[in-house]
Amino acid sequence: MKHEKIFRFLPIIIICAAFCLLSFAMVGQQFYGSYAPSERVVDVLPAQNFEAPAARGSAECLVLVNSKEANSVLAWKDMEGLFSQMKVEADYVDVSKEAVPEYADYKRIVLAVADSSVLGEKAYELLDWVNGGGGFMVYFPPLGDVFFRALSSQMGVQETGWEMYESPGFRFKTDLMMGGKGKDFIIEEPYEASLSLSLSSDCTVHMVSADDRELPLLWERDLGEGKIVFMNFGIMGKAYRGLYGAAYSLLGEAFAWPVINGSAFYLDDFPSPVPSGTSTYIQRDYGVSVGDFYTNIWWPDLLELAEKYGIRYSGMVIEDYSDKREAPFAANQNTQRFRYFGTELLRKGGEIGLHGYNHIPLCMEGFDRDFGNGYVPGTYERLFDYDYWNSREDMRASIEELIRFTEELYPGVTAATYVPPSNILSSDARQMLAEDFPQIKAIASIYFEGDVEYTQEFEAAEDGIVETPRIISGCVIDSFMEIGALSELNLHYVNSHFQHPDDVLDEERGAEAGWEAMRGRLDEYMRWLYGAAPAIRNLTAVEMAGAVQRYYYLDVTQEITEDAIVLELSNFQDEAYIFIRINGREPENLAEDITGGTLTAMGGGLYLVEASQNRVVIQRGEA
Ligand SMILES: [Zn+2]
């Protein structure tokens, strides 16, 4: 009986003992261990090192759109976003207003029009042009217009009743996308977006619907000297960019585009004051206070994950959860936990960044009037739950205090990354940060559009600050985030994730499942990521900014000769990463068949080029 009791309480006794030891260690420790200011893997360069991205002159791609079709307008917007990221120069022609130019002037043509009859005779010329060697992409499924009825068989379509089909998700049949195969990607709100059809056997089907039907959603087919890539997916938006990018890269003998090559994990509100008291689920599962939970369970678990995958966390400091919005801002005297966690984070090669003196977004009254959602003139509706700041001076003083605080706690560290509280940032504050705090090199907010959130692209802004959006967040990586992560890994070769210590307290962020389950889900995501891209660079927040800056300014032109693919890089500084998909005649000896850089096979004909100079030559394999 007695033994049984001890056995029952053994886990708690062990936790208590470990906690006591750690507490002694922390209290007794004047010195929290040292960290060497780590050399940045890739640093942000002065903006003047780069030349403004130059227009290339003649466009390689013709995009046919129709401003009178709703889907076509969506596709147009998506493609402009995608092509600006892949540095594709394209001519967009609105077929409802403009004459269709000569196809012979282009290497690739994208058709984003549901009803091609508006093209008239030019529709039939398209396939002649493909036969002669052109690369043709159908961006979304067409209606059953006369043109498609006549020519669909040449695009590989064997049978179709012109009905639309609702795919619950998508599944890969090839290695087209890293991390794509072996897993179904579920669409949260599917609708009838794909054309019901069957294909001839000479098509290479890359993507199908994630159900028993396995409806072809993306295929390619050779036609004469050219190629057709057919996207029968029909769902668009920023989260799917990488799918369309991968499809586009199948056109032509090869296609190269600059990438970031970086994986970053942010810890928002860390270090920060720990909420006092207990939380239902922490109490339920561990029987300890929230503070003890973070010290003895959460943080060791996160460090274990970091160790396992080589992650280097970037912690974003909140000094005080007060609602103070007027200078002067009192220093938080309770610094022990800040020192303990921050020093540990730095010792493991992480980074300390700025989140806020408190958690009130830097916005003054009226900032969110520009956001359409819910705002009706005269009946102004507030879009967020915080108070406004009164002046730019107060906002500046709060950041000054935060910087003073971090410098006192972490000698030798210059915080260079700012994460806006709740990912909300006004343009006034953005300008203040750029003008008054030259040490801030990067702003890390979010990639996907929200209501009032500060939404970003991966780019260097005109004021010199590098925009480094976070793509996904939290421990509960849902199906939308899985798609976003897949898309971005394959488009930008990037992973960017943030979480908060208090995710584990918040029911909306999965708290009820318990930390054990949440940590398991996070581990599962990391396993997927590093399984798909084992060599991706683990970067901290400001290193990510350095990588994004180089990516943003880099441009690649490619020339394909009989024997080789020649890449000319503009704005090359000290390093550059490029994805190239080689469609046939892949190099046979990766070490020997490249000059000016190194070549790594990523599967599916995709290669990562790490350039060491501004001219890279890749030998083509045997035909
Ligand atoms: Zn926060």
Side-chain angles (χ1 to χ4, degrees), residues 4 32 64 93 98-99 113 187 260 286 405 446 455 461 470:
E4 215 170 71
Y32 292 84
L64 299 175
V93 172
E98 299 161 76
V113 173
I187 298 162
I260 296 165
Y286 300 95
F405 184 67
I446 52 168
T455 307
R470 285 91 61 81

Side-chain angles (χ1 to χ4, degrees), residues 268-269 318 321 355 359 419-423 500:
D268 287 10
D269 297 59
I318 292 282
Y321 286 113
H355 198 22
H359 211 278
V419 168
S422 300
N423 294 312
H500 308 81

Side-chain angles (χ1 to χ4, degrees), residues 254-287:
F255 181 73
W257 70 99
V259 293
I260 296 165
N261 187 9
S263 171
F265 286 87
Y266 299 77
L267 305 176
D268 287 10
D269 297 59
F270 185 80
S272 66
V274 174
S276 56
T278 55
S279 148
T280 321
Y281 304 113
I282 304 296
Q283 195 64 46
R284 177 194 69 190
D285 299 340
Y286 300 95

